[in-house]
Amino acid sequence: MATSDVDTSALSEAQQLALQQFTSVTDQEPAAAIPLLQRSEWNVTIAIAKFFDGEGTDPVAEVLAAQNAPPPRAARHENLQQSLLHDDPYFNNSRLSNDPAPRIVPQPEDQIATRPPFILGLIFTPFNLLYKLLSTTFGLFYYIFPFLRRDTTNGTVRRPTATGRRALKPRDAAARLKREIEEEYGENALPFYEGGYAQALDLAKKDLKFLLIILCSPEHDDTSSWVQETLLSGEVQAFLNNPANDIIFWAGDVRDSEAYQVSTALRCNKFPFTALVAHTPQQSATAMSVLTRLTGPMPTTAYLAKLQSAITSHAEQLRTVRETRNAQNFERTLRQEQDSAYERSLALDRERVRLKREAEAQVAEQEILEKKAAEEAATLAEKKKQWRRWRARSVVPEPSADSKNIVRIAIKMPEAARIMRRFPADATLEELYAFVECYDFLQSGSIDEVVDKPEAYEHVFDFRLVSTLPRVVYDPEQGGTIAERVGRSGNLIVEPIIEDEDEE
């Protein structure tokens, strides 16, 4: 079953804000929330109160109905038999049906009084002493003559007096009543709702069930017999426990504060009192109304017949509302699942885009690093070449063969044959390395051009000179002259330095 979409574009900004606040609190669909807000003049506080407490009669509607009402009919005359019939407990008062069932939140009787100021306490101290004296005197008088304060009314409601019954919370009061019934009448199968009246009413409204309210007063003579013969009968217990009837059973003792307030709100005028409450969609989307009232003791058959009749006549309306809510919940769940699936798909797409961007950024960064490294390598190679040309012009020239104090070094080049070269004995070892480094320029004779020394460059030799048998590595950083390190003559091999070997 599909619900019609509501166009909220025609609403003003303030009305849309009120609709959003109301639906966030009540979880209602806009189709049901907008009429209630319109009846509440778009006041969110009033609309929420009407949703939970039920809508009462509209004063404006009452005035219009009174103006358009036909003239009053002539007074109806009854005889004694008809009057007795209307006062009979079996008679169903149709005028009291479908009255709103308000939501009652009990107020504790033992309200904490604030302590008056010290000066006021001194002023009223004589009055307090006089009040205590009079109350004690009258209490003793009523104790000696108890018949003077006996309740002479038969079946009418009166506020319970202070009999020492301890005031409890609604949940604890319900548990105490259940325990008292079991202790006085024995074990039973009554499905008591162990909670307050307001919670039971909210549950009936939420689950679209019937709320059966029973109010009793142990001070009335008919209570004990009615509980034994009617309420605890097997037929009534089976009826209340039947899941097909969708009944929430709540009972209260009018000696408790909450039950007394409920009896006043439901206009209870005789005990034992039974009221059947349910949601009435024909009045409003949130209304809870009294379908029927049963007052006074009655046989089990008549009691069940009246309850069954009220439930049967109203079950179809609840079934329709239940189907509508189920359809709305199904659509809401389906929409949430679709939104969730869309969010997951959107999250996956965003993750793919993020990974793609990160990969592209890494590739771009790698390209930049490679380009930078290539530029640095090219610059380094250019500066190295410039240094070799500059250093080749300052390489010490080879002494003549008949010169004294010279050394003869045989060098095995990596890509050339063996070279024999004479060096001054006092030439440094770095001079021998420079000769090997610049041998290509010295051999080609391209050292005539004047070249400046490259700036911000420190040359590092990428080879080493070693001798064999025994193997000795001649490191230029250790300094010394050729004669001191190699001797008067020597055979050296040029070994290129590989980066991996150098790191090891």
Side-chain angles (χ1 to χ4, degrees):
M1 181 185 303
T3 58
S4 59
D5 296 334
V6 178
D7 185 13
T8 59
S9 60
L11 302 178
S12 63
E13 183 178 355
Q15 292 174 347
Q16 291 181 359
L17 179 60
L19 177 61
Q20 182 180 3
Q21 294 177 353
F22 180 79
T23 53
S24 63
V25 174
T26 61
D27 197 21
Q28 288 286 300
E29 292 294 328
I34 290 178
L36 182 57
L37 287 171
Q38 291 175 345
R39 292 192 297 272
S40 305
E41 299 296 335
W42 294 96
N43 190 311
V44 180
T45 304
I46 297 177
I48 293 176
K50 287 183 178 181
F51 176 80
F52 287 105
D53 299 339
E55 293 190 62
T57 57
D58 190 357
V60 179
E62 287 183 352
V63 174
L64 296 177
Q67 294 177 354
N68 299 328
R73 298 174 58 183
R76 183 167 60 97
H77 298 282
E78 303 180 331
N79 54 25
L80 181 59
Q81 181 180 1
Q82 292 173 339
S83 299
L84 293 176
L85 179 61
H86 282 279
D87 292 336
D88 191 271
Y90 303 149
F91 179 73
N92 186 9
N93 191 351
S94 61
R95 292 174 297 176
L96 298 180
S97 61
N98 291 341
D99 287 346
R103 187 176 186 270
I104 304 299
V105 179
Q107 298 295 333
E109 294 182 348
D110 51 349
Q111 294 287 350
I112 300 177
T114 57
R115 188 174 183 178
F118 179 73
I119 298 178
L120 292 179
L122 280 179
I123 295 175
F124 287 100
T125 297
F127 298 98
N128 292 334
L129 295 177
L130 179 61
Y131 173 77
K132 292 182 179 180
L133 179 61
L134 292 177
S135 61
T136 304
T137 303
F138 282 105
L140 180 61
F141 181 77
Y142 283 124
Y143 178 77
I144 298 174
F145 305 100
F147 58 88
L148 293 178
R149 60 173 180 175
R150 182 177 178 181
D151 187 10
T152 57
T153 58
N154 184 15
T156 59
V157 177
R158 65 182 180 88
R159 183 70 173 96
T161 58
T163 58
R165 186 175 179 85
R166 182 183 178 186
L168 299 177
K169 295 181 180 179
R171 179 180 294 274
D172 298 333
R176 178 173 60 184
L177 177 61
K178 178 181 178 182
R179 184 176 64 254
E180 290 175 351
I181 292 178
E182 291 178 350
E183 291 175 354
E184 184 173 356
Y185 303 102
E187 296 291 334
N188 58 78
L190 292 176
F192 286 94
Y193 178 78
E194 297 186 3
Y197 165 78
Q199 289 77 17
L201 187 68
D202 294 341
L203 181 61
K205 180 190 295 186
K206 176 184 176 183
D207 296 344
L208 294 175
K209 292 185 177 182
F210 296 95
L211 176 60
L212 184 65
I213 303 171
I214 292 182
L215 299 174
C216 58
S217 174
E219 298 179 0
H220 293 278
D221 298 335
D222 298 331
T223 299
S224 179
S225 59
W226 179 81
V227 172
Q228 290 179 349
E229 298 174 2
T230 303
L231 183 60
L232 295 181
S233 63
E235 296 84 354
V236 174
Q237 295 189 49
F239 177 79
L240 297 179
N241 285 283
N242 187 1
N245 294 326
D246 291 332
I247 292 178
I248 298 175
F249 177 68
W250 184 84
D253 189 334
V254 293
R255 294 178 299 176
D256 296 328
S257 174
E258 182 185 34
Y260 176 77
Q261 296 180 45
V262 173
S263 67
T264 303
L266 297 181
R267 296 189 291 184
C268 171
N269 57 7
K270 184 177 286 189
F271 292 108
F273 175 82
T274 302
L276 186 66
V277 177
H279 172 56
T280 50
Q282 70 275 11
Q283 294 186 1
S284 70
T286 60
M288 295 291 288
S289 303
V290 180
L291 303 181
T292 184
R293 288 179 172 85
L294 305 177
T295 58
M298 65 179 60
T300 302
T301 305
Y303 186 78
L304 290 179
K306 292 180 180 294
L307 291 180
Q308 187 64 55
S309 175
I311 290 176
T312 303
S313 61
H314 197 70
E316 183 63 25
Q317 299 182 20
L318 292 184
R319 185 186 64 82
T320 303
V321 177
R322 190 178 295 111
E323 290 178 354
T324 303
R325 286 190 182 181
N326 291 337
Q328 294 175 352
N329 292 334
F330 174 76
E331 291 186 356
R332 185 183 299 109
T333 303
L334 181 61
R335 186 164 56 249
Q336 291 176 353
E337 292 178 354
Q338 291 176 349
D339 294 343
S340 178
Y342 172 76
E343 292 295 336
R344 291 195 299 269
S345 177
L346 184 61
L348 291 176
D349 293 340
R350 290 174 178 172
E351 183 66 17
R352 294 193 190 98
V353 172
R354 185 185 66 82
L355 294 177
K356 182 179 179 181
R357 289 178 178 175
E358 290 182 356
E360 292 176 352
Q362 291 179 357
V363 172
E365 184 178 0
Q366 185 66 24
E367 291 178 353
I368 293 175
L369 294 177
E370 291 178 355
K371 182 178 179 181
K372 183 177 180 181
E375 292 176 355
E376 291 178 354
T379 302
L380 183 62
E382 184 65 25
K383 289 185 176 181
K384 181 178 181 180
K385 182 179 179 181
Q386 181 181 352
W387 183 89
R388 291 172 63 196
R389 297 178 65 183
W390 168 80
R391 187 67 176 84
R393 292 180 59 83
S394 59
V395 172
V396 62
E398 183 178 9
S400 60
D402 55 353
S403 299
K404 297 181 179 180
N405 197 19
I406 61 173
V407 294
R408 293 179 177 84
I409 304 298
I411 304 173
K412 178 65 173 65
M413 304 293 290
E415 300 176 357
R418 185 177 181 182
I419 301 173
M420 179 64 85
R421 179 85 157 54
R422 293 184 296 274
F423 292 91
D426 56 353
T428 62
L429 190 62
E430 190 272 338
E431 193 71 26
L432 178 59
Y433 270 84
F435 171 77
V436 175
E437 185 72 60
C438 303
Y439 178 76
D440 295 340
F441 294 99
L442 296 173
Q443 189 70 17
S444 61
S446 57
I447 56 174
D448 297 335
E449 183 181 357
V450 178
V451 180
D452 296 331
K453 182 179 180 181
E455 298 179 356
Y457 175 77
E458 183 178 356
H459 186 75
V460 178
F461 296 104
D462 56 358
F463 63 91
R464 54 177 167 258
L465 299 176
V466 299
S467 63
T468 59
L469 299 177
R471 176 181 173 84
V472 179
V473 177
Y474 301 100
D475 189 355
E477 295 181 357
Q478 295 179 358
T481 62
I482 301 176
E484 294 173 351
R485 298 291 302 279
V486 181
R488 305 299 296 181
S489 63
N491 295 320
L492 303 179
I493 299 176
V494 179
E495 288 186 353
I497 298 177
I498 303 176
E499 294 183 357
D500 296 340
E501 294 180 356
D502 186 59
E503 291 178 357
E504 291 178 0

